[in-house]
Amino acid sequence: MLVNAGQMLTERAKISGRMEAIVEHATGARYDFRQFNERSNQLAHALLALRFNAGDRVACLMSNQARYAESYFGCAKAGFVFVALNWRLTVPELSYQLLDSGAAAVIYGADQLPLVEPLKAQFPNVRFLPADHGDFDAAVAAASTAEPPIGATGEDPLFMMYTSGTTGRPKGALISHRANIAYMASMLATSDLNINERQVIVAPMFHIAGLGLLMVAVYRGMTSVILKAFDPAVMWDVIDSERITGFFGVPSMLAFMHQHPKRQTAKREHLRWALCGAAPVPVPLIEAWDSMGVQVRQVYGATETH
């Protein structure tokens, strides 16, 4: 029985170790579930070596990439609370969230340096750890691939994600390991997402849509092709080349993709579903995708329920 959400990846690596888990479109890097699990373990050990304690908040400020996924699962296993930061925010907005969350560290990507430098000056007691360059990246690469000690279970907090709510400043929704595991089980019990599905993750992983899709893929045993940004032409190229079976998008993304000329030429014989949320989907758009043999599944999610 799972008691720690990070164990989802541990168990998936045992069951489907040689199945492709992550495809990083920007770099071409590919990792099977065994490699994905080992890289997540290395990140956990690198953080533990820095003397962080279970329950410490570790924030993540980076665009969609494999290291983001590894950071999430590494923090989960070691018992650090993963704080998802939105890199589209301004420095003052991020400052508020770092202060509010009580983050002890920030794992960041090189492309976020313009945000990180002023934050470093404001938070001298927070450790800023470069995910894809420098000493921390080297420490991760040199760390043990063995399973780290499980640092959190059940009612312990797993991640914090900021949601705007209705008034005032964004609120940090704190989700436990038990709640997350229960969500995964209930979500997949009411869907027909199958093992060996191949999905695109283009929604930002600082948002529950992107991070939630990653969790679902690990729980079920699906391949995730990670894109940094949405571009309808790139989406059709990836659907073609990677034999994609489904993806998540908001209604405007589905509309742009349907209007794009590459829809006519891309091979999409494997594509069968598109999850769509954040706004009502116009009936003509649903019918247009249905005519291509793609079922639009409208979903409603709240950050607080994951």
Side-chain angles (χ1 to χ4, degrees):
M1 179 179 178
L2 295 176
V3 296
N4 177 290
Q7 290 178 299
M8 290 191 292
L9 179 56
T10 306
E11 294 304 309
R12 178 52 59 193
K14 293 176 183 176
I15 298 167
S16 312
R18 296 300 180 183
M19 178 189 293
E20 194 167 60
I22 299 290
V23 178
E24 193 175 66
H25 180 260
T27 64
R30 294 175 181 267
Y31 306 106
D32 61 28
F33 275 106
R34 179 186 58 82
Q35 294 167 323
F36 180 20
N37 186 55
E38 289 180 348
R39 288 169 63 88
S40 299
N41 291 346
Q42 287 179 302
L43 190 133
H45 282 295
L47 289 173
L48 289 167
L50 293 175
R51 305 297 182 185
F52 293 116
N53 300 310
D56 282 348
R57 270 63 169 165
V58 175
C60 188
L61 184 66
M62 68 178 87
S63 55
N64 284 9
Q65 55 189 284
R67 183 67 88 197
Y68 196 107
E70 295 156 7
S71 297
Y72 170 75
F73 280 100
C75 285
K77 291 185 184 190
F80 307 126
V81 182
F82 185 84
V83 182
L85 296 178
N86 181 347
W87 47 263
R88 293 172 176 166
L89 297 180
T90 64
V91 170
E93 289 170 323
L94 289 169
S95 297
Y96 165 74
Q97 293 184 8
L98 285 179
L99 186 64
D100 181 72
S101 66
V106 177
I107 304 173
Y108 67 93
D111 51 355
Q112 305 308 325
L113 275 173
L115 293 171
V116 167
E117 291 302 333
L119 290 172
K120 283 182 179 179
Q122 293 180 36
F123 294 91
N125 294 323
V126 173
R127 299 285 296 272
F128 285 84
L129 308 171
D132 43 17
H133 64 285
D135 292 344
F136 182 68
D137 183 41
V140 173
S144 171
T145 61
E147 292 294 326
I150 295 299
T153 61
E155 300 308 316
D156 290 324
L158 167 63
F159 69 85
M160 178 181 285
M161 187 171 285
Y162 281 83
T163 179
S164 59
T166 54
T167 60
R169 291 181 182 271
K171 287 84 174 172
L174 195 60
I175 307 301
S176 71
H177 285 259
R178 191 186 308 280
N180 182 255
I181 293 168
Y183 165 76
M184 290 294 108
S186 62
M187 191 271 191
L188 289 170
T190 55
S191 72
D192 69 342
L193 296 179
N194 303 313
I195 192 168
N196 291 321
E197 299 266 11
R198 296 180 64 84
Q199 67 169 346
V200 175
I201 298 180
V202 66
M205 288 197 284
F206 62 68
H207 190 276
I208 198 59
L211 189 60
L213 286 172
L214 173 70
M215 300 174 198
V216 167
V218 171
Y219 195 97
R220 179 62 91 203
M222 299 161 53
T223 301
S224 297
V225 180
I226 299 175
L227 270 63
K228 284 193 172 186
F230 173 74
D231 180 301
V234 173
M235 286 290 289
W236 285 121
D237 287 343
V238 169
I239 286 169
D240 185 335
S241 63
E242 295 290 343
R243 308 182 311 283
I244 296 300
T245 58
F247 65 93
F248 170 88
V250 300
S252 60
M253 293 164 66
L254 267 65
F256 288 136
M257 289 179 66
H258 189 266
Q259 295 163 6
H260 199 277
K262 281 200 172 182
R263 174 177 64 86
Q264 304 288 350
T265 57
K267 296 177 183 177
R268 44 184 165 81
E269 62 267 26
H270 300 283
L271 186 65
R272 67 184 190 89
W273 55 267
L275 298 181
C276 194
V281 189
V283 172
L285 186 59
I286 296 174
E287 293 173 340
W289 280 84
D290 186 66
S291 69
M292 296 191 298
V294 180
Q295 185 181 51
V296 176
R297 303 170 182 174
Q298 297 190 66
V299 294
Y300 178 85
T303 304
E304 296 85 351
T305 66
H306 288 65

